[in-house]
Amino acid sequence: MAGHEITFEPDDRYNAFLTTCRKAPHGQGKLAGIAVAVKDNISTKGIETTCASKILKGYIPPYDAHVVELLRQSGAAIVGKTNMDEFGMGTTTENSAFGPTLNPYDTGRVPGGSSGGSAAAIAGGMVRMALGTDTGGSIRCPAAFCGIVGLKPTYGRVSRFGLIAYANSLEQIGPMGKTVTDVSTLMGVIAGHDRRDSTSHTKPYTHTPRAGIKGLKIGIPQEYFGAGVDPQVAAVVNKAIGRLGELGATTVPCSIPSMEYALAAYYVTCTCEASSNLARFDGVRYGPAADTKKSWHEAFRDVRRAGFGTEVRRRIMLGTYALSSGYYGKYYAKAQIARENVKKDFARIFSEVDVIAGPTMPTIAFQLGEKSDPLSMYLSDILTVPVNLAGIPAISVPCGKAAGMPVGLQIMGRPWEDERVIDVAYTYEQAVT
Amino acid sequence: MATEQEVRHIAELADVGINTEELATFTHQFNAILDYFDILDRVSGDTAVTRDRYNVMREDEIEPSLPQEEVLRNAAAQEDGFIKAPRVM
């Protein structure tokens, strides 16, 4: 049903949005008239979609992503496109070609990334819910840093049709919101089969969050509390896990030995996939014009050097190197074995426990500019990437503060048990609020 | 260790370009990351990757597609309803 619209004129002091829709039309349904923000790497028909990159400046998608079609069908008002690290490559939202997003809790700090704009839009009170994407933690990290809830669904649960790909085998679109209930509601709208994504499964989500975790077994991996994890953050998360114990769960220590090389496996895999995926940006079909008078090699190089940011060029180069003749066996092939080992570790632990819990991020939100060295930024993803390598669901739910900044409790589940991680997060949220 | 010359070559292969001023920093950061990747040398086993996915087949049926003008709208250079690209010969 057409004819309705809401007016959206936020005071965007955090640079959360790249595009806002002042008049946002909406129909009837479960989300009728609710303002929903969409990360800028998800295609929206008629609304500029840039992936926070100069190379897509001015690109107006001629079609909607599957999740956007579903949002529109549910009556949601799409009010804007949110800022992000360019193509999803970053942990801070500082790698946006259009300036960083600021953390609403402390504007001297980053909101996390790469879905930092979506998280800041929610934490800053501009929208109730938003879509993000999570390739190596890009929903959970900003959710943790901005004190909101974010779910990375099981791989295959939400269609990636219309998501501008960065690393196909790792990424999922997922819901972000102020509360677990909002996240669950949004998940109910976007999950389900879509034949235009060949990795999409027929697993609709019709769940309503239920409190109650009596008898639940929670694995606590020692690696999530080891070196590199800020003791203050660990203390806050430990207290939250203690609370889950008081609510009837039992905790069991466990270990994920493959975490030793999980981060390297992740970065090899995602850069290799990126080097292939981002080959399409050449200024011919979209983006800034390639000079058709030049040779193709020269023309593409000029467009891509000017259009891609430093981190994007770095990842394309790393992937190109890792896939090049003579190095494939050393990097990509090894990374795939490592990935398999991560999956096996999770499968072994999940044969004994129902969920796994730990911190979402090893620290609180960084200061702006703090992570200028790429490797040190990559290292901060250590607690989120194992989930993407294994394709399992995980949620980040706020669990207190350290040094005045929000801390996220991460709950990981078996494949297709998104409902269970939602319920555990809901139980915790209801107990503390 | 990747040399500056190799990094320049990779930039060329990937069509992302690199200028002399950024080459030293890029090479330095590139090597720090590659050093970190060396931890993969410790990965044991040659387990074939298992895939719990399968090929999805469908009938080859003609379906409506986007109108030509909508597809062309984002292209910077066009000619006679086609997208114009740089010379390949």
Side-chain angles (χ1 to χ4, degrees):
Chain A
M1 281 213 262
H4 301 277
E5 64 177 21
I6 65 167
T7 305
F8 185 68
E9 290 170 320
D11 169 17
D12 187 11
R13 64 185 76 176
Y14 310 115
N15 196 30
F17 284 91
L18 294 176
T19 304
T20 48
C21 310
R22 213 174 71 81
K23 296 280 179 201
H26 71 85
Q28 295 301 313
K30 210 156 93 170
L31 298 182
I34 295 180
V36 178
V38 175
K39 190 178 179 181
D40 206 36
N41 58 350
I42 300 172
S43 303
T44 41
K45 184 177 181 175
I47 306 172
E48 187 177 2
T49 299
T50 68
C51 295
S53 180
K54 277 193 278 183
I55 212 155
L56 276 174
K57 179 114 190 71
Y59 171 66
I60 313 276
Y63 61 90
D64 274 331
H66 183 65
V67 291
V68 172
E69 287 176 352
L70 294 172
L71 278 183
R72 294 193 202 271
Q73 283 164 21
S74 74
I78 293 165
V79 294
K81 304 299 294 288
T82 53
N83 202 4
M84 55 185 283
D85 288 294
E86 187 176 357
F87 286 102
M89 298 181 186
T91 313
T92 66
T93 312
E94 291 171 296
N95 290 337
S96 165
F98 308 113
T101 295
L102 310 179
N103 190 314
Y105 275 87
D106 175 352
T107 52
R109 292 179 187 270
V110 304
S114 64
S115 312
S118 290
I122 295 164
M126 291 177 269
V127 292
R128 224 173 91 186
M129 41 180 96
L131 292 183
T133 63
D134 192 312
T135 309
S138 286
I139 285 175
R140 290 161 288 153
C141 160
F145 282 4
C146 292
I148 63 151
V149 185
L151 172 73
K152 190 225 82 107
T154 303
Y155 186 83
R157 192 117 195 212
V158 177
S159 168
R160 289 177 295 109
F161 177 79
L163 163 63
I164 299 176
Y166 151 34
N168 323 50
S169 80
L170 298 159
E171 61 204 0
Q172 273 289 283
I173 296 171
M176 303 170 80
K178 197 100 190 158
T179 65
V180 176
T181 302
D182 281 351
V183 163
S184 179
T185 303
L186 190 51
M187 180 66 180
V189 170
I190 62 173
H193 180 253
D194 169 27
R195 66 190 193 89
R196 297 169 298 184
D197 172 359
S198 63
T199 61
S200 161
H201 283 240
T202 309
K203 300 268 187 191
Y205 177 96
T206 54
H207 187 64
T208 304
R210 270 194 306 262
I213 51 169
K214 224 173 169 59
L216 188 88
K217 277 179 148 176
I218 305 176
I220 312 295
Q222 60 185 53
E223 292 82 3
Y224 275 70
F225 295 88
V229 180
D230 178 347
Q232 275 184 286
V233 169
V236 170
V237 172
N238 263 322
K239 199 174 153 216
I241 291 169
R243 193 68 203 260
L244 292 173
E246 289 162 22
L247 294 165
T250 51
T251 56
V252 185
C254 63
S255 171
I256 309 174
S258 57
M259 274 187 71
E260 182 190 4
Y261 40 68
L263 189 78
Y266 169 79
Y267 272 96
V268 168
T269 305
C270 75
T271 56
C272 286
E273 292 185 22
S275 74
S276 160
N277 274 322
L278 273 62
R280 75 191 61 174
F281 300 103
D282 53 18
V284 174
R285 285 153 298 169
Y286 27 71
D291 185 347
T292 54
K293 304 263 186 323
K294 288 182 181 162
S295 78
W296 66 270
H297 192 62
E298 228 183 316
F300 293 174
R301 184 199 59 206
D302 290 351
V303 163
R304 288 158 65 82
R305 177 161 61 188
F308 286 139
T310 308
E311 182 60 26
V312 174
R313 286 163 64 226
R314 179 175 8 261
R315 292 199 194 187
I316 292 173
M317 286 169 63
L318 280 166
T320 306
Y321 183 83
L323 287 173
S324 64
S325 168
Y327 292 107
Y328 177 87
K330 179 172 167 58
Y331 296 115
Y332 189 79
K334 283 281 186 187
Q336 299 324 299
I337 297 169
R339 185 173 186 173
E340 204 55 27
N341 292 347
V342 173
K343 256 177 135 171
K344 282 182 187 154
D345 277 347
F346 275 117
R348 173 181 48 78
I349 297 169
F350 281 130
S351 68
E352 287 158 22
V353 304
D354 301 305
V355 296
I356 296 172
T360 306
M361 294 297 290
T363 64
I364 56 166
F366 324 123
Q367 303 279 356
L368 286 161
E370 186 182 331
K371 296 283 169 186
S372 54
D373 169 58
L375 183 59
S376 91
M377 187 183 71
Y378 298 175
L379 292 171
S380 60
D381 297 340
I382 181 69
L383 304 182
T384 48
V385 299
V387 159
N388 301 79
L389 288 168
I392 61 175
I395 197 167
S396 180
V397 62
C399 71
K401 286 188 179 158
M405 293 301 291
V407 172
L409 168 67
Q410 182 173 205
I411 297 150
M412 299 163 255
R414 297 185 187 105
W416 314 112
E417 292 193 356
D418 307 63
E419 290 84 350
R420 194 191 293 268
V421 301
I422 286 273
D423 282 348
V424 178
Y426 182 70
T427 306
Y428 177 79
E429 181 192 56
Q430 295 305 304
V432 297
T433 47
Chain B
M1 279 289 280
T3 62
E4 289 194 0
Q5 208 179 346
E6 281 174 300
V7 170
R8 193 188 286 278
H9 178 60
I10 292 292
E12 246 166 65
L13 285 178
D15 276 327
V16 292
I18 196 155
N19 58 39
T20 318
E21 299 88 79
E22 56 183 359
L23 187 60
T25 318
F26 246 91
T27 306
H28 173 74
Q29 292 172 335
F30 211 82
N31 280 315
I33 296 163
L34 291 179
D35 279 351
Y36 182 77
F37 286 174
D38 279 347
I39 203 164
L40 289 170
D41 290 343
R42 286 195 236 167
V43 176
S44 57
D46 48 1
T47 337
V49 176
T50 56
R51 304 230 178 269
D52 50 1
R53 289 164 213 144
Y54 48 88
N55 281 329
V56 179
M57 311 295 273
R58 64 167 175 81
E59 291 306 311
D60 189 17
E61 287 163 351
I62 296 171
E63 289 179 15
S65 57
L66 291 167
Q68 192 179 23
E69 58 272 19
E70 276 185 40
V71 176
L72 289 174
R73 197 186 294 153
N74 285 289
Q78 305 168 27
E79 204 171 290
D80 304 330
F82 292 95
I83 294 168
K84 207 169 160 185
R87 283 179 291 130
V88 288
M89 300 287 279

